[in-house]
């Protein structure tokens, strides 16, 4: 049967879903060195949001690089493209008032500026700050060891630069507090943005 009103069914469903959400979409962008605690904190925050009735989607570097970004390497141009794609995905989510939690190393200021430009006022930057030596001690995947042995090239903090993000919206010093404490601080800080009618 022809749709007499000529309404796109996908658009109609999207609008209906958005109207049901009692939240403001925001992108929580966690950045920092490998081993700083980004993924763990992001997972805890996502679980807390879900437990309190908020809809969120977790975008993680490892997961996206095994799928949509599997064609990208770790050279400078591909790192930039990796962040661009993630930001565009997050933009679609927040335009539907879904909370996007992004966990990516995001090593350079130009990467963060790119994400900020795409996401505008929806972008909430979180620097998961942990010294390199402590990240290496936590090296459960053995990545730093491989980077030191030159088995991995373009590894952030070893053979590729990481620029600190001390001007982030929130800095979490994970060498001085537990990941649970960091997640609680992040959750409480971002909650007013999610509840507010204006960001």
């Amino acid at each position: 049967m022809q749709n007499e009103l000529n309404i796109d069914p996908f658009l109609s469903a999207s609008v209906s879903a958005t109207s049901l959400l009692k939240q403001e979409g925001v992108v929580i962008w966690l950045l920092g060195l490998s081993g700083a605690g980004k993924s763990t904190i992001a997972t805890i925050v996502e679980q807390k949001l879900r437990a309190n009735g908020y809809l969120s989607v977790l975008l993680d570097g490892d997961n996206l690089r095994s799928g949509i970004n599997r064609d990208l390497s770790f050279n400078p141009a591909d790192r930039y493209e990796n962040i661009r794609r993630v930001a565009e995905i997050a933009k679609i989510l927040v335009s539907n008032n879904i909370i996007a939690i992004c966990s990516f190393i995001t090593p350079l200021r130009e990467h963060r500026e790119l994400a900020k430009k795409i996401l505008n006022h929806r972008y909430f930057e979180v620097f998961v700050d942990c010294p390199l030596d402590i990240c290496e001690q936590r090296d459960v995947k053995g990545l730093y060891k491989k980077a030191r042995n030159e088995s991995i090239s373009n590894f952030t903090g070893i053979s590729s630069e990481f620029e600190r993000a001390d001007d982030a919206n929130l800095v979490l010093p994970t060498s001085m507090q537990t990941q649970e404490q960091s997640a609680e601080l992040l959750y409480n800080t971002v909650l007013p943005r999610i509840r507010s009618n204006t960001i």
Side-chain angles (χ1 to χ4, degrees):
M1 181 176 178
Q2 186 175 3
N3 187 343
E4 295 180 359
L5 296 177
N6 198 29
I7 297 175
D8 185 333
F10 178 80
L11 178 60
S12 177
S14 175
V15 171
S16 298
T18 301
S19 66
L20 292 174
L21 297 178
K22 306 301 181 184
Q23 62 186 48
E24 288 289 333
V26 62
V27 178
I28 306 170
W29 196 289
L30 295 96
L31 64 97
L33 292 168
S34 177
K38 301 182 301 299
S39 295
T40 301
I41 294 168
T43 300
I44 295 171
V45 170
E46 194 273 336
Q47 291 171 348
K48 285 182 67 68
L49 287 167
R50 187 191 315 148
N52 286 283
Y54 297 107
L55 178 60
S56 63
V57 173
L58 179 58
L59 302 175
D60 184 83
D62 290 341
N63 291 337
L64 265 72
R65 279 192 175 273
S66 66
I68 194 170
N69 289 344
R70 65 171 177 254
D71 60 320
L72 301 179
S73 70
F74 290 90
N75 66 42
D78 281 2
R79 281 181 180 271
Y80 189 88
E81 175 62 12
N82 182 54
I83 297 302
R84 189 194 69 78
R85 291 184 191 180
V86 174
E88 292 290 356
I89 293 170
K91 183 179 179 180
I92 294 171
L93 293 173
V94 295
S95 70
N96 288 281
N97 279 357
I98 297 170
I99 302 157
I101 307 173
C102 301
S103 174
F104 295 84
I105 292 174
T106 326
L108 302 181
R109 292 186 186 93
E110 67 172 324
H111 299 152
R112 299 159 203 159
E113 289 302 318
L114 173 64
K116 191 181 299 184
K117 182 178 179 181
I118 293 171
L119 297 165
N120 204 337
H121 63 286
R122 303 279 191 163
Y123 177 78
F124 186 85
E125 186 173 287
V126 183
F127 176 27
V128 183
D129 185 13
C130 187
L132 177 61
D133 60 328
I134 295 179
C135 289
E136 288 198 66
Q137 292 172 24
R138 298 174 177 173
D139 191 17
V140 293
K141 298 179 182 178
L143 298 177
Y144 281 101
K145 184 177 181 180
K146 291 180 180 178
R148 292 289 186 189
N149 293 333
E150 300 183 354
S151 299
I152 300 177
S153 59
N154 296 315
F155 191 83
T156 305
I158 305 299
S159 53
S160 185
E161 184 179 10
F162 180 86
E163 297 175 334
R164 289 181 57 83
D166 293 315
D167 58 345
N169 297 103
L170 180 65
V171 178
L172 299 175
T174 54
S175 63
M176 297 185 286
Q177 59 190 26
T178 67
Q179 292 168 338
E180 289 76 12
Q181 290 171 327
S182 293
E184 184 72 17
L185 176 57
L186 172 54
Y187 178 81
N188 290 332
T189 302
V190 80
L191 193 57
R193 286 175 171 255
I194 295 167
R195 287 176 170 169
S196 177
N197 290 325
T198 57
I199 299 179

